Amino acid sequence: MSTLSLPQDESRQLVPPPGRHPADPPADPPRGEDALPLESLRIVPARHPGRWVATAGVAVLLAMVVSSLVTNDRWEWDVVATYLTWPSVLQGAWATVRLTLVASVVGFALGTVLALMRLSRSPLLRSVSWTYTWVFRSVPLLLQLLLWYNLAYLYPYLSLGIPFGPELLYFDTLSVVDKFWAAILGLGLSQAAYSAEIVRAGILSVDQGQQEAAASLGIPRRRQVSRIILPQAMRSIVPTAVNEVIGLLKGTSIVYVLAYGELFYIVSVIYGRNGRVVPLLVVASIWYLVLTTLITVVQYYVERHYAKGAVRTLPPTPLQKTRWTVLVWASRLSGRPVPDAVPPAYAARARVGVLTRTARTSGGPA
Amino acid sequence: MSTAVSATTHDSTTHDTTAHDTSAHAARPARRATAGLVEIHGVRKSFGTLEVLRDVSLTVPPGSVTVVLGPSGSGKSTLLRAINHLEKVDQGFVSLDGALIGYRRKGSTLRELKEREILAQRTQIGFVFQGFNLFPHLTALENVVEAPVSAQRRRREDVEPEARALLERVGLADKADARPRQLSGGQQQRVAIARALALRPKVLLFDEPTSALDPELVGEVLEVIKDVASTGTTLVVVTHEIAFAREVADTVVFMDDGVVVEQGTPTEVLDHPRQDRTRAFLEKVL
């Protein structure tokens, strides 16, 4: 035999051979330690030395980052702290939130319409939607913003009326399309092009049988879309859509070219005056981080809402997870059984420890 | 003519479904149905170059149970889908109680109906899919309530007790608030049947209702279909369950290669088939 194979007795002692059930009659009469019942054996968890080395390495790197953040004076944390809640910075952050909200609503509302047009049976609607997406995805956002801001040059007056007929309402373009609305037009309309594709992908992801079932039940077309198709499409729309909203939140910083007072423009004005460039950029970064975090929290709950029916049981909320983990650790340490409120998947984590405990106290070599 | 069933392609067996006296059916309660006559006339349908229905004619009397058998690709499902206009036929027509499905006759012209009108027609024809196609994001009860409320514009308060009664009838009263993915295949299909019944259709079409089920779940669904069969709703069932056909069907239709090869009572078609193709098929499945 090869030298690699373990002696028979030793291997059997460590691990029960695969496929062998405790109740099965042993192949040959047990001898020595083999005679011990499986339940009394000590379980040795697998060891992961590589994982420990990697963890230690990353911990050192992390410590270096933190220490440099603290010890390097040039971060000027006192300046950061001062300007983080500076009134004009707060106003800028609020302007950024407003831009993001309105542009998202415009973008996704128009995007949904475009997606439905793209899936329509009318060739004209289909090609108009396609062309829109083509144009607005191709022209850089910066250019679009400047074009919208110069709308008054192309059309000094805007009017509402009957096409090719009399005009009923009359506006001065400059008074209607101010900086805010130029920004909304630029951000919202280009967002619509991307949203259209996201919504379309979501609709296509819903099983064809759903629409067929709705049609066979005679459910009206509009209701088929709003009640049956879109709620199911939302499950694949939401993660990508939130990605887009986060992109938009940061994308609003590009509006500084219109000298509109959003977060980035405000901090750039401040550091232009006092020269504290890096601390003020950090202030803006922190605000973008906070806002993105808020969006991510909202995303979690929206996703959970639309997961209804797609999964047998909803994933637990962070609060539930924390509570269960605490209960599991409590039972691990005390040796008491896990409370019934904890789902089996979590309770199983405790069982390893409990089994080891009982094995240590009651088992062991006789 | 007393013959209610006729086929064009072959000299098939014909019989009178309302006055049959075969002993196999003696135990079944008599149905009194006045509505739900389905007539299929010279229907042709192609997908690309493949002709799946080749001049199919069939009459399904009110309140009868018709089981359609045949090898896969024989056009059974397409025929069923043509009955409620999920599949638009290329030639021929389908009518329910004399009214054309998908068209309106005006003098010498046939006008295609608008989608809204087709949807309204479909509420008279229930359809049960092989893959259930329940709405996964709605509870069992909401699945059943949806169509009567949105398609028939009935009041939710009136529909809900009815829907609960239907769920009870299919043995799922306790699952009203469960969502489809929390149910077994057999339970899902029973909800789907309740959903189709909620519209009080004149005709109920079953497209291989038990083919996606584990063998031990087939029975519970067939029991529900038998129960529905006793109420006087016209049923057309595409299935491979020969025993079910023998027990419940008034007429068994055998299709192959886009035509009706043979039809008659279960005894006639299943025990004494006249056509070689029918015999060959039955030998394989029995």
Side-chain angles (χ1 to χ4, degrees):
Chain A
M1 276 301 284
S2 83
T3 49
L4 282 172
S5 66
L6 285 165
Q8 269 284 298
D9 285 347
E10 199 178 325
S11 73
R12 199 176 293 163
Q13 180 191 341
L14 289 172
V15 202
R20 190 169 138 197
H21 195 266
D24 286 350
D28 39 86
R31 288 167 282 123
E33 286 186 333
D34 272 6
L36 289 170
L38 271 182
E39 302 82 50
S40 67
L41 297 184
R42 195 167 73 91
I43 295 172
V44 182
R47 302 218 155 87
H48 308 278
R51 195 185 291 167
W52 283 104
V53 172
T55 308
V58 171
V60 169
L61 287 174
L62 213 59
M64 287 164 71
V65 169
V66 171
S67 113
S68 97
L69 284 177
V70 174
T71 52
N72 188 345
D73 297 339
R74 297 199 176 185
W75 284 106
E76 294 184 273
W77 291 109
D78 51 326
V79 181
V80 172
T82 313
Y83 281 102
L84 198 57
T85 50
W86 204 254
S88 60
V89 170
L90 289 181
Q91 272 169 27
W94 173 237
T96 293
V97 170
R98 270 201 326 156
L99 279 176
T100 309
L101 279 179
V102 180
S104 303
V105 170
V106 170
F108 277 94
L110 185 58
T112 308
V113 173
L114 284 166
L116 294 175
M117 280 169 71
R118 184 80 187 275
L119 296 168
S120 133
R121 272 167 233 166
S122 152
L124 182 70
L125 292 186
R126 271 206 309 267
S127 43
V128 165
S129 168
W130 185 89
T131 312
Y132 181 96
T133 307
W134 174 59
V135 170
F136 280 83
R137 277 204 307 199
S138 307
V139 181
L141 182 56
L142 188 58
L143 276 173
Q144 286 184 44
L145 283 168
L146 293 172
L147 279 173
W148 285 115
Y149 195 50
N150 288 301
L151 190 67
Y153 168 77
L154 280 174
Y155 303 99
Y157 299 102
L158 298 175
S159 64
L160 266 182
I162 297 153
F164 306 109
E167 290 165 354
L168 304 174
L169 285 167
Y170 213 62
F171 306 103
D172 181 3
T173 304
L174 272 179
S175 67
V176 180
V177 186
D178 59 2
K179 284 176 187 171
F180 177 75
W181 285 105
I184 291 301
L185 281 172
L187 293 170
L189 296 188
S190 81
Q191 190 55 52
Y194 293 96
S195 317
E197 289 299 89
I198 294 172
V199 173
R200 188 169 71 95
I203 291 174
L204 293 180
S205 76
V206 178
D207 181 39
Q208 174 67 22
Q210 291 293 307
Q211 195 270 327
E212 230 169 43
S216 82
L217 288 166
I219 296 171
R221 183 91 181 158
R222 196 177 299 178
R223 180 91 175 161
Q224 287 179 22
V225 174
S226 69
R227 173 79 166 163
I228 307 299
I229 306 296
L230 277 183
Q232 296 186 58
M234 283 308 275
R235 199 168 141 68
S236 53
I237 290 176
V238 170
T240 343
V242 172
N243 242 355
E244 287 294 311
V245 173
I246 290 173
L248 193 60
L249 173 81
K250 296 181 295 177
T252 54
S253 59
I254 216 173
V255 176
Y256 91 101
V257 295
L258 306 183
Y260 180 74
E262 47 70 48
L263 185 56
F264 179 67
Y265 178 75
I266 298 280
V267 298
S268 70
V269 166
I270 300 176
Y271 68 60
R273 241 177 310 166
N274 68 8
R276 297 289 184 41
V277 179
V278 171
L280 276 152
L281 289 179
V282 171
V283 165
S285 306
I286 290 175
W287 272 113
Y288 283 119
L289 206 66
V290 167
L291 294 175
T292 308
T293 309
L294 289 178
I295 295 174
T296 314
V297 171
V298 172
Q299 168 184 17
Y300 179 84
Y301 286 95
V302 174
E303 267 185 36
R304 217 178 121 79
H305 172 79
Y306 285 110
K308 269 189 239 158
V311 287
R312 284 215 176 89
T313 45
L314 284 176
T317 61
L319 205 68
Q320 284 173 321
K321 276 192 211 164
T322 318
R323 200 167 60 228
W324 293 339
T325 308
V326 168
L327 286 172
V328 163
W329 273 100
S331 85
R332 245 179 127 153
L333 296 173
S334 67
R336 273 196 297 270
V338 185
D340 289 342
V342 179
Y346 275 76
R349 293 185 196 172
R351 211 156 291 141
V352 177
V354 171
L355 197 56
T356 317
R357 265 181 90 85
T358 36
R360 271 201 210 107
T361 48
S362 66
Chain B
M1 143 173 168
S2 70
T3 315
V5 180
S6 65
T8 51
T9 40
H10 288 276
D11 57 332
S12 63
T13 326
T14 57
H15 79 130
D16 191 334
T17 45
T18 49
H20 56 72
D21 56 358
T22 38
S23 53
H25 296 109
R28 195 172 330 132
R31 305 188 195 97
R32 286 173 298 279
T34 50
L37 167 71
V38 178
E39 289 165 298
I40 300 166
H41 269 271
V43 162
R44 287 177 182 277
K45 172 76 190 177
S46 301
F47 292 115
T49 54
L50 180 73
E51 195 170 32
V52 285
L53 292 178
R54 299 188 291 167
D55 194 14
V56 173
S57 294
L58 194 68
T59 302
V60 181
S64 69
V65 177
T66 303
V67 168
V68 184
L69 297 175
S72 60
S74 58
K76 320 178 291 280
S77 290
T78 311
L79 181 67
L80 210 61
R81 293 160 61 84
I83 294 178
N84 78 341
H85 215 65
L86 277 179
E87 230 47 273
K88 205 168 141 187
V89 299
D90 302 332
Q91 243 183 64
F93 57 86
V94 179
S95 70
L96 172 59
D97 289 334
L100 289 174
I101 300 290
Y103 297 92
R104 182 179 31 236
R105 187 173 174 168
K106 217 172 181 187
S108 60
T109 53
L110 281 184
R111 272 173 201 281
E112 200 180 329
L113 292 182
K114 290 189 188 124
E115 188 175 351
R116 194 165 41 81
E117 297 166 300
I118 292 173
L119 286 169
Q121 275 188 336
R122 287 214 187 102
T123 60
Q124 303 176 34
I125 307 171
F127 201 101
V128 176
F129 296 86
Q130 179 178 353
F132 327 135
N133 290 351
L134 288 178
F135 306 131
H137 57 304
L138 305 181
T139 64
L141 185 71
E142 286 167 340
N143 263 282
V144 180
V145 169
E146 176 61 29
V149 170
S150 69
Q152 292 178 326
R153 306 204 155 278
R154 293 171 55 197
R155 284 163 34 148
R156 190 170 287 270
E157 308 88 85
D158 304 339
V159 177
E160 237 185 71
E162 235 174 82
R164 284 187 191 280
L166 279 169
L167 285 175
E168 189 172 348
R169 191 166 143 201
V170 299
L172 292 171
D174 55 328
K175 298 287 184 190
D177 298 319
R179 286 174 212 279
R181 295 235 162 90
Q182 297 164 327
L183 302 174
S184 75
Q187 291 171 331
Q188 288 190 50
Q189 193 60 298
R190 287 187 278 153
V191 173
I193 294 171
R195 179 175 74 172
L197 285 173
L199 290 164
R200 299 178 187 149
K202 296 176 182 171
V203 183
L204 209 48
L205 309 173
F206 292 85
D207 187 7
E208 304 201 19
T210 58
S211 297
L213 297 178
D214 290 338
E216 78 268 25
L217 302 176
V218 169
E220 64 189 57
V221 171
L222 292 182
E223 279 307 314
V224 170
I225 300 177
K226 273 185 228 168
D227 171 51
V228 177
S230 66
T231 60
T233 312
T234 309
L235 302 192
V236 183
V237 187
V238 170
T239 185
H240 294 296
E241 299 291 331
I242 305 287
F244 171 80
R246 203 183 288 279
E247 189 182 348
V248 183
D250 298 304
T251 312
V252 173
V253 175
F254 176 70
M255 283 184 74
D256 191 15
D257 205 15
V259 296
V260 172
V261 175
E262 186 166 354
Q263 59 180 303
T265 63
T267 328
E268 284 165 344
V269 176
L270 299 176
D271 299 332
H272 311 289
R274 297 182 169 198
Q275 302 294 328
D276 291 339
R277 278 196 277 181
T278 318
R279 208 168 296 134
F281 173 76
L282 288 171
E283 270 165 19
K284 261 184 266 172
V285 297
L286 281 177

